[in-house]
Amino acid sequence: CQEQDSEGGSATETQSGESSVVAPQSKDPAPVTWDLAAKILPAATGSFIEWYEFGIYGYESSYITANFFGNGHGGSLGTWAGFAITFAFRPLGGAFFGHLSDKFGRKPAMQLTIALMLATTVLQGVLPSFVVCDEAWGWVGLVLLLFCRMLQGLSAGGELSAAAVYISEISPKQHLGLNLAWLSATGTFGSFAIAALVVYLVESSLSPEAMMRWGWRLPYLTSAIP
């Protein structure tokens, strides 16, 4: 015969007359549902968009230097200062968008950071430069480039923290680490890999002169493709 004990296990009587308690079987953690995946995917995609521009800027640093910082306008030091300025603004972005996400919700804050990154990335693709414009317009392009980099630093700092908190809040405990890993998989790895592929394809299709004058803009403009 078999009886249920008070803790949910089962008491089984053996042939010798002795009873033993069988521990209840633990249930497997519930799998990630499509509904949950649909909520995680936009956050992971946002992380991809945030870092895609960083990859393009790094891979196209020689073209950025020639178009904006060449001929005594800062050289490669100016190019990498433009890269570093985004990291200087990331803490400010985390604080600003963190406050917005606490007040208005994680999702609106993430949407705002993604929209800001998309707009500034596309804008960089149409900036005037010293190579194709005169000195005055070249300076306009240089100033706008640095301004875009500042905004992108704010955006990147705000998106990462908002996305991490958002995923932590909607994910079941047993899948929290896996779900958070998508931020690194799409942002840190995926975005740089795709950016490298896009730059390679553009460079392989154009002549060096065309790449220097206008081809470097194409990877920036591809960020507008949904």
Side-chain angles (χ1 to χ4, degrees), residues 34-48 114 166-167 170 182-183 186:
W34 284 109
D35 181 62
L36 180 60
K39 295 178 180 179
I40 296 175
L41 184 59
T45 304
S47 182
F48 172 89
I114 294 171
Y166 173 74
I167 293 178
I170 66 173
W182 284 105
L183 293 178
T186 58

Side-chain angles (χ1 to χ4, degrees), residues 17-214:
E18 298 178 355
S19 62
S20 61
V21 178
V22 180
Q25 295 182 350
S26 60
K27 297 181 179 180
D28 294 333
V32 179
T33 63
W34 284 109
D35 181 62
L36 180 60
K39 295 178 180 179
I40 296 175
L41 184 59
T45 304
S47 182
F48 172 89
I49 294 172
E50 294 290 340
W51 291 103
Y52 176 72
E53 190 280 335
F54 281 76
I56 293 175
Y57 189 92
Y59 295 133
E60 293 195 328
S61 59
S62 60
Y63 307 113
I64 298 296
T65 300
N67 278 271
F68 296 98
F69 300 100
N71 298 324
H73 298 107
S76 59
L77 184 61
T79 302
W80 294 113
F83 191 85
I85 198 172
T86 57
F87 289 90
F89 275 79
R90 283 184 65 186
L92 298 177
F96 176 72
F97 286 104
H99 173 71
L100 289 184
S101 64
D102 288 339
K103 188 172 184 179
F104 300 105
R106 319 295 180 202
K107 188 175 181 180
M110 284 192 300
Q111 291 174 337
L112 182 57
T113 60
I114 294 171
L116 181 60
M117 179 62 77
L118 280 175
T120 51
T121 300
V122 173
L123 179 59
Q124 285 184 82
V126 297
L127 290 177
S129 69
F130 292 104
V131 171
V132 296
C133 301
D134 57 22
E135 186 77 7
W137 280 108
W139 280 108
V140 171
L142 175 57
V143 172
L144 289 177
L145 173 66
L146 295 177
F147 182 69
C148 287
R149 302 294 298 169
M150 294 176 187
L151 293 179
Q152 288 172 334
L154 294 174
S155 176
E159 193 278 337
L160 180 60
S161 57
V165 173
Y166 173 74
I167 293 178
S168 299
E169 290 176 341
I170 66 173
S171 296
K173 184 178 180 180
Q174 60 268 28
H175 295 294
L176 180 58
L178 175 62
N179 294 343
L180 284 173
W182 284 105
L183 293 178
S184 296
T186 58
T188 308
F189 174 76
S191 59
F192 278 83
I194 297 300
L197 178 62
V198 171
V199 173
Y200 169 76
L201 293 175
V202 173
E203 284 185 325
S204 302
S205 304
L206 300 175
S207 65
E209 181 181 359
M211 190 69 190
M212 182 63 68
R213 292 186 62 85
W214 58 270

